[in-house]
Amino acid sequence: LGNFNDARVVELLLEKLGDSNKVVRVAAVAALDKIGASQEQKVDGYIKVLISNTQGVRLEAVQALGELGAVRVVAPLLERLGDKESDIRAAAAVALEKLKATSEQMEMGYRAVLVSGYLVVRLEAAEALLKIAPQDRGFRKEHARIKREVEDQERKLKAASFDASRGVFWFGLKRSMRRAADKVRSRV
């Protein structure tokens, strides 16, 4: 396909940027380069696959958008700051730095992430906001609140884990005692 400079071929290759198979994605990128697809076409293709269910596809799209350098990709990359995967969030932050996103844009992106359902993501956003605007008391309070929430969740998880392991221990002990008692009874 990389030998034909046809709009239909370009469209097909752009769709392949979202393929779950990495080999197919790499071949599509090479073919797009070979036929001279425009930067705008590539940007459009990568923006479309930012919502893929495949982590590798999203990661490659974020990294490629950072390299392509189009200013219009700032908004879609700001959305990836709230991705559930930490490597994609980190790649989005790096891409935004490469694109020289303003601190106001970054602040806006991280503020949006503060309402995310993922507690760890919210904590990372609050920490990033503290770096962007360390003097902002609202960010400090929000960071402290989210950090307490994370610590509470960790405590609850440890307690539940301990309770579960204790239950397994006692269940196993009771079963062993019953078996021993059954052996004694069978001998009598």
Side-chain angles (χ1 to χ4, degrees), residues 20-63:
S20 61
N21 185 326
K22 184 175 177 80
V23 174
V24 172
R25 294 192 307 268
V26 170
V29 170
L32 285 165
D33 289 341
K34 185 175 181 181
I35 64 173
S38 72
Q39 179 178 352
E40 288 301 309
Q41 290 172 316
K42 291 177 189 176
V43 166
D44 289 340
Y46 281 120
I47 287 174
K48 286 179 186 174
V49 300
L50 278 176
I51 59 169
S52 170
N53 290 329
T54 306
Q55 179 180 347
V57 171
R58 292 193 317 273
L59 180 60
E60 289 172 17
V62 166
Q63 292 168 334

Side-chain angles (χ1 to χ4, degrees), residues 101-118:
T102 66
S103 59
E104 291 81 18
Q105 289 172 316
M106 296 294 284
E107 183 178 326
M108 182 181 69
Y110 281 120
R111 278 183 185 270
V113 173
L114 286 176
V115 296
S116 164
Y118 301 105

Side-chain angles (χ1 to χ4, degrees), residues 85-103:
E85 302 297 339
S86 62
D87 58 342
I88 295 171
R89 293 191 304 271
V94 168
L96 287 162
E97 285 178 24
K98 285 181 181 178
L99 294 168
K100 304 212 183 317
T102 66
S103 59

